[in-house]
């Protein structure tokens, strides 16, 4: 939605979008290091990673307007 507020999709937004997706990755890594409970709970982060990959794929196409 942020990219839509600046106008239409542009190829230049692809790099910014990719860099912004590093924030959830850093959050996942931080939570894996700081969580002191049962270690099997870390497996739940796999769900986050799957959806993050899908977000990167579909969102990247929408931001750059380079649909398959």
């Amino acid at each position: 939605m942020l990219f839509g507020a600046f106008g239409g999709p542009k190829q230049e937004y692809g790099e910014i979008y990719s860099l912004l997706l590093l924030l959830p990755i850093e959050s996942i890594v931080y939570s894996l290091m700081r969580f002191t409970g049962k270690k099997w709970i870390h497996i739940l982060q796999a769900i986050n990673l799957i959806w993050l990959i899908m977000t990167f794929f579909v969102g990247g196409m929408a931001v750059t307007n380079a649909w398959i």
Side-chain angles (χ1 to χ4, degrees):
M1 292 178 59
L2 177 67
F3 294 104
F6 291 117
K10 296 180 183 173
Q11 193 69 28
E12 297 85 28
Y13 294 157
E15 185 176 337
I16 296 168
Y17 182 76
S18 298
L19 290 174
L20 286 174
L21 284 179
L22 289 177
L23 294 174
I25 293 173
E26 291 173 1
S27 176
I28 290 170
V29 170
Y30 178 76
S31 70
L32 290 175
M33 292 185 330
R34 296 289 296 172
F35 183 70
T36 58
K38 297 179 181 178
K39 296 298 182 184
W40 63 269
I41 296 290
H42 290 177
I43 295 171
L44 295 175
Q45 289 293 356
I47 297 169
N48 287 338
L49 289 174
I50 290 168
W51 284 106
L52 186 62
I53 291 167
M54 291 177 60
T55 300
F56 176 74
F57 183 67
V58 175
M61 288 189 295
V63 167
T64 61
N65 201 24
W67 297 95
I68 294 181

